[in-house]
Amino acid sequence: MIQFNSPLSAFLHWEKVIPNRVFLKQPIEGKTITYTFEEAGIEARKIASAIKGFELPNHSHIALLSKNCAHWILSDLAIMMSGHVSIPIYPTLTADAIKQILEHSESKLIIIGKLDNYESQKTGIPDIPKISADLYGETEGSLWTEIVLKNEPLSAIYVPQLNDLHTIIYTSGTTGVPKGVMHTVGNFTASVGIIYRGLKLKEQSRFFSYLPLAHIAERVGIENYALVLGAEISFAESLDTFAQDLEACQPQLFFAVPRIWAKFQEKILEKVPQKKLSVLLSIPFLNTIIKNKLKKKLGLRFSEVVVSGAAPLSTSLMQWFEKIDVTIFQVYGMTEDCVISHCNRPGIINKIGTVGKKLESVYVKLSPEGEILIKNDCLMTGYFKAPEITAEVFENGYFKTGDIGEYDHEGYLSITGRVKDQFKTDKGKYIAPTPIELQMSTNTNIEQICIVGTGIPQPIALITVGENGKSKSKTELSDSLLATVNEINPTLEKHEKIEKVIIMKEDWTVDNGLTTPTLKVKRNAIEKIHQPYYKAWFKMSEKIIFE
């Protein structure tokens, strides 16, 4: 690996070495716009020149509000080239949430990119300069196409230093108000170096970017890893074209969250029911053909590393994908530790049900309560403007993750829950919901699940159902869920046994505030809405209740 001192130096290297190689592929309206490394460099420099024209103080904070697209990457490069600090904002946030982050981060300028509903968000943006990527329809402030047409590329590019503040990443807020996690240039450089040595992908591999680039995992593991490898990055045009865009890309590295894997399985089983699939996979001469066909359709025909993170993935789902030759490596990391913690990876045993072994430079301690404490070479420097909260989450240089875990005798870590997710029933017994949720998730009718039980004698399961479940009659669905409860209850302690399953009327989505942008269930938000009904549901005679 070439030793790069910053993400920008990695890009500048490949711009010089392979200027004519395609770097970015952006589908739009059925066509694909491509940017070579040279073209991306020229365009980013012109945007950097425009940023310089606003005469902002050195190391000013520049916000970036956009879905994943070529212009997100170009904007990030331009912010680096002009010597400023990036403030990525999730493209699904409300106007109020955007305003909160812009004001807290003291952003001096905002770049507006590809968005689904900017009209509802624009009131959250204060009176600061704006640059709009008008290719996607937004036309506020300075227009990207006019800047590229009129500006000369910035000639004096800023040279980032390892200790420079590189970005402030606001957490997705599963609990409470988002916090601004500060990372230096050196943190990103160290993090990507560890990923490079761990995954060992070839230079100029193909990547597919669709999970929010405002999130640390996509930012480091896709954008910045791609910069180090001189890789090609493709994007999805929309949710409707996601499957065909991924199939067209066939990336060597693919990263997903548990919800995506469940959706993939659901789509396959819609076309090929499980009984038929099992039969086809049992026939020797058809086995390989079927596997390759399924992998090609998923976009994973040439994948070398397939990763799942952000939340625990059920062992049954991982085993199901293994049967079609898709090996999923489960990983564990956080915004605060720059995603450098633990992972299963090529070259070591992929132990399903664990998040793997600790990575290089990682030191771990478990508190008496089992909380995981992490120290590495790329821990955040702290939360922006929150020294008291920063002090609370560190203990002798170790970051307190809030996750509870345990190691096996081979050094593989299993996450057994969140400290804050544990709840107490009115019997006074504490329950960790995550392991029970994973067991329940083996039922393919379940889309999302949240085990709750505060103030009632036994826990109940709040669920939403996927397309598979929605296609069934109420009786069929109830029988299926009851069978799952009857199967797992004997494996649970007496106080953990599930008493009821409540089927929600509406799905939990980013739009209604019940999942994060990375599709994790927001337990606090769900409990706030539904806790008043727990006692009434508990008293009902039915085991399966439709809300």
Side-chain angles (χ1 to χ4, degrees), residues 6-9 11-12 40-54 56-66 70-89 102 105 107-113 128-131 144 147 154 156-161 164-169 183 185 188 213-214 219 223-224 227:
S6 69
L8 180 57
S9 68
F11 171 77
L12 296 175
I42 292 170
E43 196 141 321
R45 282 175 175 82
K46 289 184 175 184
I47 300 302
S49 176
I51 292 171
K52 279 287 189 182
F54 289 106
L56 305 175
N58 292 337
H59 306 297
S60 287
H61 298 173
I62 296 180
L64 178 47
L65 174 65
S66 176
H71 291 72
W72 205 107
I73 307 290
L74 295 172
S75 298
D76 199 25
L77 290 169
I79 292 167
M80 289 186 259
M81 288 174 172
S82 54
H84 296 299
V85 178
S86 60
I87 313 293
I89 300 176
L102 289 174
S105 66
S107 292
K108 305 296 184 188
L109 181 150
I110 183 168
I111 300 176
I112 300 160
I128 57 174
K130 302 174 183 70
I131 294 175
W144 189 289
I147 291 170
L154 183 68
I157 290 175
Y158 180 78
V159 179
Q161 305 300 305
D164 283 350
L165 179 60
H166 178 57
T167 189
I168 302 176
I169 298 176
H183 277 300
V185 170
F188 267 46
L213 277 161
R219 183 89 176 277
E223 181 201 14
N224 282 265
L227 289 174

Side-chain angles (χ1 to χ4, degrees), residues 387-492:
E388 300 86 1
I389 301 174
T390 300
E392 287 172 9
V393 298
F394 280 98
E395 183 178 294
N396 299 322
Y398 283 78
F399 173 68
K400 297 192 282 187
T401 65
D403 290 316
I404 301 169
E406 57 189 29
Y407 283 97
D408 66 15
H409 66 284
E410 293 178 306
Y412 286 80
L413 178 66
S414 295
I415 308 297
T416 57
R418 290 280 295 166
V419 173
K420 290 180 180 177
D421 285 352
Q422 292 185 101
F423 60 85
K424 190 191 289 186
T425 65
D426 70 358
K427 292 178 179 176
K429 296 282 191 177
Y430 276 102
I431 292 171
T434 303
I436 306 173
E437 290 166 352
L438 286 172
Q439 282 187 273
M440 282 285 290
S441 296
T442 57
N443 187 316
T444 56
N445 295 309
I446 295 174
E447 174 94 351
Q448 299 150 301
I449 182 166
C450 185
I451 300 288
V452 297
T454 303
I456 52 179
Q458 291 290 134
I460 58 177
L462 310 183
I463 71 160
T464 68
V465 296
E467 293 306 316
N468 192 39
K470 288 173 183 175
S471 68
K472 290 181 167 59
S473 69
K474 281 192 172 184
T475 302
E476 287 177 310
L477 182 58
S478 296
D479 289 347
S480 169
L481 294 170
L482 188 58
T484 300
V485 170
N486 290 338
E487 183 182 337
I488 72 168
N489 267 350
T491 70
L492 302 174

Side-chain angles (χ1 to χ4, degrees), residues 206-473:
R206 291 185 305 278
F207 286 15
F208 187 74
S209 178
Y210 70 101
L211 291 172
L213 277 161
H215 189 271
I216 187 74
E218 189 82 357
R219 183 89 176 277
V220 171
I222 297 295
E223 181 201 14
N224 282 265
Y225 190 21
L227 289 174
V228 165
L229 289 176
E232 175 186 293
I233 307 175
S234 293
F235 302 90
E237 180 175 1
S238 67
L239 190 60
D240 291 338
T241 66
F242 172 84
Q244 68 192 56
D245 292 334
L246 177 55
E247 185 179 358
C249 176
Q250 298 291 337
Q252 271 93 22
L253 172 67
F254 183 70
F255 173 54
V257 296
R259 182 94 173 274
I260 300 293
W261 295 117
K263 282 288 186 188
F264 280 178
Q265 182 195 46
E266 186 178 276
K267 292 299 179 187
I268 289 172
L269 294 178
E270 277 179 16
K271 299 282 177 62
V272 189
Q274 186 62 60
K275 279 188 179 180
K276 183 178 179 181
L277 181 60
S278 298
V279 170
L280 292 172
L281 292 176
S282 71
I283 302 170
F285 72 92
L286 272 180
N287 183 293
T288 302
I289 295 170
I290 295 298
K291 288 176 181 177
N292 288 340
K293 192 172 181 180
L294 289 174
K295 287 195 292 182
K296 183 176 184 296
K297 197 67 183 170
L298 287 173
L300 304 179
R301 177 71 177 85
F302 301 109
S303 60
E304 296 173 31
V305 182
V306 176
V307 176
S308 184
L313 183 63
S314 72
T315 56
S316 61
L317 200 53
M318 292 180 74
Q319 289 162 346
W320 187 89
F321 276 99
E322 193 72 49
K323 288 174 184 174
I324 59 169
D325 279 354
V326 175
T327 297
I328 301 172
F329 295 101
Q330 194 165 196
V331 303
Y332 171 59
M334 305 184 79
T335 307
E336 288 86 348
D337 61 28
C338 214
V339 300
I340 298 303
S341 179
H342 294 69
C343 76
N344 284 289
R345 57 195 181 275
I348 65 170
I349 293 170
N350 182 28
K351 189 170 277 193
I352 290 176
T354 77
V355 294
K357 293 185 173 184
K358 68 185 182 68
L359 288 159
E360 65 175 88
S361 95
V362 173
Y363 297 88
V364 188
K365 293 195 299 187
L366 296 181
S367 75
E369 297 75 32
E371 183 180 4
I372 302 161
L373 280 63
I374 294 281
K375 184 162 70 171
N376 63 23
D377 292 340
C378 45
L379 279 182
M380 68 169 182
T381 58
Y383 295 120
F384 185 55
K385 297 196 298 191
E388 300 86 1
I389 301 174
T390 300
E392 287 172 9
V393 298
F394 280 98
E395 183 178 294
N396 299 322
Y398 283 78
F399 173 68
K400 297 192 282 187
T401 65
D403 290 316
I404 301 169
E406 57 189 29
Y407 283 97
D408 66 15
H409 66 284
E410 293 178 306
Y412 286 80
L413 178 66
S414 295
I415 308 297
T416 57
R418 290 280 295 166
V419 173
K420 290 180 180 177
D421 285 352
Q422 292 185 101
F423 60 85
K424 190 191 289 186
T425 65
D426 70 358
K427 292 178 179 176
K429 296 282 191 177
Y430 276 102
I431 292 171
T434 303
I436 306 173
E437 290 166 352
L438 286 172
Q439 282 187 273
M440 282 285 290
S441 296
T442 57
N443 187 316
T444 56
N445 295 309
I446 295 174
E447 174 94 351
Q448 299 150 301
I449 182 166
C450 185
I451 300 288
V452 297
T454 303
I456 52 179
Q458 291 290 134
I460 58 177
L462 310 183
I463 71 160
T464 68
V465 296
E467 293 306 316
N468 192 39
K470 288 173 183 175
S471 68
K472 290 181 167 59
S473 69

